[in-house]
Amino acid sequence: MTKRAFLSFVLVFVVACVFAQQKVIRVNQLGYLPQSVKVAVFLSTETENADRFQLFDALNDKLVYEAKVKLVDGTDWGMQTAFRLDFSAVTKNGGYYLEIGETRSPAFQISHDVYNGTADFLLNYMRQQRCGYNPYLKDSCHLHDGIIVDHPTKTGQKIDVTGGWHDASDYLQYLTTSANATYQLLYAYEQNPAVFKDDYQENGESGANGIPDILDEAKWGLDWMVKMNPSAGEMYNQIADDRDHRGYRLPNKDTVSYGLDGTYRPVYFITGKPQGLSEHKNRTTGVSSSAAKYASAFALGAMMMKEHYPEFAEQIAAKAAKAYTFALSDLGACQTACNVSPYFYEEANYADDLELAATTLYQLTGDAYYLTEAKKWGSVENVTPWMSTGFARHYQFYPFVNLGHVKLAEKDETFATYLKQGLTHLYDRGKDDPFLNGIPFIWCSNNLVAAAITQARAYDEITGDQSFAEMEAALRDWLFGCNPWGTSMICGLPAGGDNPQESHSSITKILGETTCGGLVDGPVYNSIFSGLIGIEIQQPDPFEAFNKGKAVYHDDLGDYSSNEPTMDGTASLSYYLSSMEKMGAAQQNDSEKDSQGAIRRIIQPSEKNIYLVFSAHDKAEGAEHILKTLDKKDCKASFFFTGDFLRDKQFQSTIKKVIKDGHYLGAHSDKHLLYCDWNKRDSLLVDRTTFEQDLKDNYKALEKFGINSENASWFLPPYEWYNSATVNWADALGLTTVNFSPGIRSNADYTTPDMANYLSSDKIIKSIFQVEEEQGLNGAIMLIHPGTEEKRTDKFYLRLEELIERLQAKGYHFKRLP
């Protein structure tokens, strides 16, 4: 049986299975970071009445977690029932599966390293798309690029523009997408440099060269752009045109003729006017969008390449400034050119390109002129239009994410507000969808998903606002299988998972290999798909049962609309996946932060440490018992006292013994102020000056005991209540905000029987061991009060020895904060 015949047999079998059981649980096949939103989706073509789901250990089938389902509307996807299954509370590393009744999900992992190497994996496809020397084919192509067209004086002249990347499965090359891809690669490295490996040489062959591979790839794009911009005001926008669409062939076997000298291809000069060599013309209105893309990529490239290519960095820095000047000379959008058909990249906006170019030039030069320009252009288009309208023509609003807003948001909160507005539009459209997906399913819908999660991640990192965390997670998971079809949208990732194997590509057609690392276009509206010409589904469709909704997707060579990988879409995921890898590394090796930015766990993977924390302001009747117990059990802990406590004569012996016994002693504010409203956390009750002075006074009291910020930089806020602003203020003072780990209820030991939230010591003990069983307590910060109201006779600190002994028996060690 041939490989193709065998695959057809397998697909027929899979289709039969799908129709036999049309109840599925969709998960992120790649897995989940321990400290992340984790939600799977259940779909059924039948009405289901389940109210709970269960999570099991994949190795021993032990029940690990159980919770209620969330009923959502699945009718848009042709489903009678849809549930969202939230298991975010489970953070322990391991392998798991989900069940509802007899429906079981694929096994998946929770681990800190699930995203490790994913950003570098994308580069496999970028290298495969290289024009000129192609390391995948170990051969060269299009060495005769090209002959200039549409130039007032140079038309017909030859120009060396070999290089860059082919756009998709065809071999056209566009400045529009290539410049954006180059910038995305550079931006990913700028933000997350430690993530990227060095396993390949500059030419794409295996072998380290001392330069991160992502910079090698970005340099390939920059070198081509330099050729396409040989002098100031002379820019080219495109190589070849839609005459390229002549069926499957490898790029080194490309024999398409354009009626030029032999195998030369046309190189389109940027005219700023409607363009096309035949009856079909685009709607170009100026040069700004393309010229500004040159400027931004050159400017960021100059900064990122300086260490490895100083002379080249100087060259493109100069080009960047000239490109920006040219961009202002003829305001308007520059579109790609067509020939045999009226289809082209219909980019219609350009203010975003000017904003990004000016922002990056300001970053490069420090010239205030560019900052003024950036803010001016940034105010023209507050929200990337496809986000607000929910629709666009093909590449009408490009790039799909405004990184100019992102960079300006770091300096001006107005632009953070713009980012939030765009995300709010997406959230409002998708909030009732089982997958929280408010993306319009036009061509290249996956590129829009990549743009949305890039904006969500950047907004979160800049502001600390996690309002869109669940949407971000849902859209991220969408790309890795938590979608109606249960498939990853990145070819070959994860290995051994359900991912595109029959992508619309000559590599697949001729060589029978998948385009590893390539992000496919993604699902399109059924209404779009039904009107396409030339679609030919070549094999039985294993996704047929899930193509009855608003959008369709096929892992089939014949579906060029949903299953074709694109170079720019692939590059646009570099930042996001590298950010996720960095996040995983931080969770594994250092600490976990809450939504406000405070550290709530300190992770040492090779150890099982618990950090006992004791805080006091005006009560400490249990301090002597606590210190004796810690000494008896050979444990270290951390104490946080207010300035008032430190100055109170009745507590002097306690303070001295804390220090003498080697425990940590740190700041808890001076006057035990309430920093923010209990009901509206982002509403501050103190200003920055008051906050800073209060902390300084706290440290003055600490200094009398030999404690200063150099040996005590952890800070526990009063009432353990704070917001992102106070965390940032503390950061600016060189202090790190810390708080107790969630789920552990030891902090409720202050409650009294007359309170509605009263918690007995027995219940507190139970909560601790429940968390230990479900998640583990490695790195946990456990807060206990050494003094409470007299009305509470059930003093939890009297159970300290019991608590320590039981946890030590499970292999835990008690340490002071590092």
Side-chain angles (χ1 to χ4, degrees):
M1 184 182 291
T2 65
K3 177 182 177 183
R4 187 72 65 179
F6 175 75
L7 185 57
S8 295
F9 169 78
V10 171
L11 288 172
V12 170
F13 176 76
V14 170
V15 170
C17 292
V18 167
F19 281 108
Q21 179 182 345
Q22 296 174 359
K23 303 174 186 178
V24 294
I25 298 175
R26 302 307 197 191
V27 299
N28 180 330
Q29 296 181 66
L30 196 64
Y32 303 85
L33 293 177
Q35 309 302 330
S36 69
V37 175
K38 308 175 192 71
V39 183
V41 174
F42 171 87
L43 299 174
S44 176
T45 53
E46 303 173 10
T47 301
E48 301 291 332
N49 297 314
D51 64 348
R52 301 186 73 80
F53 70 92
Q54 295 177 315
L55 180 75
F56 293 87
D57 187 298
L59 188 61
N60 58 29
D61 298 315
K62 180 181 177 181
L63 178 62
V64 174
Y65 182 76
E66 186 174 7
K68 290 184 177 181
V69 303
K70 180 181 180 181
L71 178 65
V72 287
D73 186 358
T75 54
D76 274 356
W77 297 106
M79 298 292 130
Q80 291 296 313
T81 305
F83 300 136
R84 284 181 62 76
L85 318 177
D86 191 337
F87 56 103
S88 303
V90 180
T91 60
K92 187 176 181 180
N93 284 12
Y96 303 93
Y97 62 84
L98 292 155
E99 273 191 359
I100 291 182
E102 296 181 355
T103 305
R104 177 183 293 192
S105 76
F108 57 87
Q109 65 171 325
I110 296 176
S111 176
H112 302 96
D113 60 2
V114 293
Y115 289 95
N116 285 13
T118 54
D120 275 311
F121 186 79
L122 301 174
L123 300 178
N124 288 307
Y125 183 67
M126 301 301 291
R127 287 187 285 267
Q128 195 177 79
Q129 290 297 105
R130 284 193 182 191
C131 187
Y133 179 69
N134 186 294
Y136 179 78
L137 299 171
K138 291 186 168 41
D139 197 1
S140 297
C141 64
H142 303 117
L143 296 179
H144 295 143
D145 285 344
I147 288 181
I148 297 171
V149 296
D150 267 1
H151 193 286
T153 61
K154 295 185 177 183
T155 293
Q157 293 183 18
K158 294 177 180 177
I159 182 173
D160 176 16
V161 289
T162 297
W165 304 286
H166 304 127
D167 196 55
S169 62
D170 48 50
Y171 302 126
L172 285 80
Q173 293 176 254
Y174 300 121
L175 180 279
T176 302
T177 52
S178 296
N180 179 49
T182 301
Y183 195 97
Q184 293 276 2
L185 296 172
L186 292 165
Y187 179 70
Y189 180 76
E190 177 192 37
Q191 298 301 310
N192 305 312
V195 164
F196 295 99
K197 298 185 179 73
D198 173 24
D199 293 329
Y200 291 86
Q201 302 173 52
E202 184 180 0
N203 68 356
E205 297 276 8
S206 295
N209 65 344
I211 300 173
D213 297 330
I214 195 165
L215 287 186
D216 286 330
E217 209 56 40
K219 177 71 159 47
W220 191 263
L222 288 167
D223 285 341
W224 178 74
M225 290 177 65
V226 167
K227 290 182 175 183
M228 294 282 282
N229 175 210
S231 62
E234 183 181 356
M235 291 182 174
Y236 298 90
N237 203 50
Q238 178 176 327
I239 301 175
D241 53 45
D242 53 3
R243 286 173 285 181
D244 168 274
H245 297 164
R246 300 292 178 85
Y248 298 108
R249 75 253 183 230
L250 296 176
N252 55 336
K253 306 294 183 182
D254 188 7
T255 58
V256 171
S257 173
Y258 295 86
L260 300 173
D261 186 359
T263 58
Y264 285 85
R265 301 194 297 175
V267 183
Y268 283 79
F269 176 68
I270 292 179
T271 66
K273 303 293 187 293
Q275 200 166 16
L277 300 179
S278 188
E279 61 176 308
H280 301 296
K281 309 290 183 184
N282 62 26
R283 295 185 290 274
T284 292
T285 59
V287 305
S288 304
S289 60
S290 288
K293 287 184 178 71
Y294 272 110
S296 56
F298 284 152
L300 188 55
M303 290 181 278
M304 297 302 103
M305 295 294 170
K306 185 176 182 180
E307 176 184 352
H308 302 290
Y309 302 99
E311 292 182 3
F312 179 71
E314 289 184 12
Q315 176 192 8
I316 60 177
K319 281 183 169 292
K322 294 175 182 177
Y324 186 74
T325 299
F326 182 58
L328 297 177
S329 69
D330 186 6
L331 294 177
C334 184
Q335 300 178 337
T336 63
C338 53
N339 189 288
V340 299
S341 63
Y343 302 114
F344 49 89
Y345 287 176
E346 302 183 56
E347 186 171 8
N349 58 338
Y350 61 88
D352 56 337
D353 295 300
L354 289 168
E355 176 190 359
L356 180 59
T359 302
T360 313
L361 278 162
Y362 172 69
Q363 186 182 356
L364 172 67
T365 66
D367 188 336
Y369 161 74
Y370 290 118
L371 182 59
T372 301
E373 285 282 291
K375 291 184 176 182
K376 177 183 75 175
W377 292 112
S379 65
V380 171
E381 188 177 277
N382 296 0
V383 176
T384 300
W386 72 263
M387 291 186 174
S388 55
T389 63
F391 195 79
R393 296 193 301 273
H394 194 47
Y395 277 65
Q396 182 181 5
F397 306 116
Y398 190 79
F400 301 121
V401 62
N402 190 336
L403 292 178
H405 278 3
V406 171
K407 283 183 172 286
L408 286 175
E410 298 171 357
K411 303 175 177 62
D412 187 333
E413 64 181 14
T414 299
F415 293 91
T417 301
Y418 294 164
L419 295 175
K420 184 175 184 177
Q421 290 172 356
L423 294 170
T424 300
H425 284 298
L426 293 179
Y427 177 80
D428 288 343
R429 278 201 304 275
K431 62 185 178 182
D432 297 322
D433 184 86
F435 303 96
L436 300 189
N437 195 327
I439 298 294
F441 292 104
I442 57 177
W443 270 20
C444 298
S445 64
N446 280 344
N447 292 23
L448 303 184
V449 173
I453 59 179
T454 292
Q455 184 156 321
R457 178 93 313 267
Y459 174 76
D460 185 325
E461 292 183 354
I462 292 167
T463 67
D465 180 359
Q466 293 194 317
S467 301
F468 305 102
E470 186 176 4
M471 181 182 74
E472 176 192 336
L475 294 176
R476 171 182 71 233
D477 296 345
W478 174 275
L479 295 180
F480 290 105
C482 192
N483 54 54
W485 309 274
T487 182
S488 166
M489 297 290 173
I490 301 175
C491 298
L493 189 68
D498 189 322
N499 55 70
Q501 297 294 312
E502 293 292 308
S503 61
H504 181 77
S505 168
S506 294
I507 296 292
T508 304
K509 175 70 174 179
I510 298 171
L511 300 181
E513 301 174 8
T514 191
T515 50
C516 279
L519 175 71
V520 296
D521 277 341
V524 295
Y525 286 121
N526 236 317
S527 56
I528 291 177
F529 182 79
S530 61
L532 294 175
I533 298 174
I535 293 286
E536 182 183 355
I537 304 303
Q538 300 178 3
Q539 301 182 50
D541 181 12
F543 301 139
E544 184 172 352
F546 302 96
N547 276 330
K548 308 298 184 183
K550 61 183 176 182
V552 301
Y553 171 78
H554 305 94
D555 182 20
D556 191 288
L557 193 68
D559 186 359
Y560 59 82
S561 67
S562 74
N563 201 42
E564 180 179 19
T566 63
M567 172 271 301
D568 65 312
T570 300
S572 70
L573 271 180
S574 300
Y575 159 74
Y576 189 81
L577 292 183
S578 62
S579 294
M580 295 305 290
E581 180 172 345
K582 182 174 72 173
M583 186 184 301
Q587 291 179 12
Q588 181 176 14
N589 298 317
D590 187 9
S591 59
E592 167 199 334
K593 294 183 178 180
D594 65 16
S595 62
Q596 307 301 317
I599 289 176
R600 60 185 188 182
R601 271 194 188 234
I602 300 169
I603 308 299
Q604 298 292 338
S606 61
E607 301 179 27
K608 293 178 69 174
N609 295 333
I610 293 174
Y611 300 91
L612 288 172
V613 167
F614 301 89
S615 66
H617 171 52
D618 57 2
K619 296 179 180 64
E621 79 278 357
E624 183 177 354
H625 174 79
I626 289 169
L627 289 168
K628 285 182 178 179
T629 301
L630 293 173
D631 186 51
K632 178 180 178 181
K633 307 309 295 183
D634 194 24
C635 297
K636 298 300 179 188
S638 302
F639 292 78
F640 292 88
F641 298 148
T642 64
D644 284 349
F645 185 99
L646 292 164
R647 288 185 290 267
D648 195 320
K649 293 182 179 179
Q650 66 174 315
F651 301 133
Q652 299 303 296
S653 61
T654 295
I655 298 165
K656 292 175 181 177
K657 184 162 178 56
V658 166
I659 297 171
K660 180 181 178 182
D661 289 354
H663 303 296
Y664 177 93
L665 179 58
H668 191 44
S669 86
D670 194 64
K671 296 294 183 183
H672 210 248
L673 304 177
L674 182 61
Y675 292 153
C676 48
D677 192 286
W678 287 111
N679 298 313
K680 189 178 180 182
R681 194 166 191 173
D682 60 357
S683 178
L684 285 163
L685 302 180
V686 297
D687 59 25
R688 185 167 185 171
T689 300
T690 302
F691 173 89
E692 289 180 344
Q693 188 59 53
D694 184 67
L695 266 180
K696 290 176 181 177
D697 291 341
N698 195 176
Y699 271 93
K700 286 180 181 177
L702 283 167
E703 286 172 0
K704 294 181 179 179
F705 296 92
I707 306 297
N708 55 49
S709 59
E710 293 181 2
N711 55 31
S713 59
W714 296 99
F715 164 56
L716 180 70
Y719 302 102
E720 295 76 53
W721 192 243
Y722 49 90
N723 60 23
S724 56
T726 65
V727 171
N728 290 337
W729 293 346
D731 286 342
L733 294 174
L735 303 177
T736 302
T737 304
V738 66
N739 197 15
F740 56 84
S741 301
I744 301 169
R745 303 300 309 280
S746 59
N747 63 297
D749 63 349
Y750 74 92
T751 58
T752 57
D754 57 324
M755 293 180 174
N757 62 339
Y758 173 71
L759 213 61
S760 69
S761 294
D762 283 338
K763 288 184 177 180
I764 291 174
I765 289 281
K766 184 178 180 180
S767 77
I768 292 170
F769 284 94
Q770 183 176 348
V771 172
E772 198 285 324
E773 182 178 354
E774 293 177 355
Q775 305 174 27
L777 290 173
N778 184 23
I781 300 167
M782 192 178 299
L783 175 67
I784 299 173
H785 293 95
T788 63
E789 296 287 346
E790 292 182 0
K791 288 188 292 184
R792 183 180 181 111
T793 57
D794 179 19
K795 305 288 189 179
F796 180 68
Y797 54 74
L798 295 177
R799 305 284 293 273
L800 181 60
E801 184 170 353
E802 171 195 347
L803 177 66
I804 290 173
E805 287 178 348
R806 288 180 61 182
L807 289 170
Q808 284 179 335
K810 287 179 172 286
Y812 289 96
H813 307 279
F814 291 83
K815 295 189 175 182
R816 55 174 275 169
L817 291 169

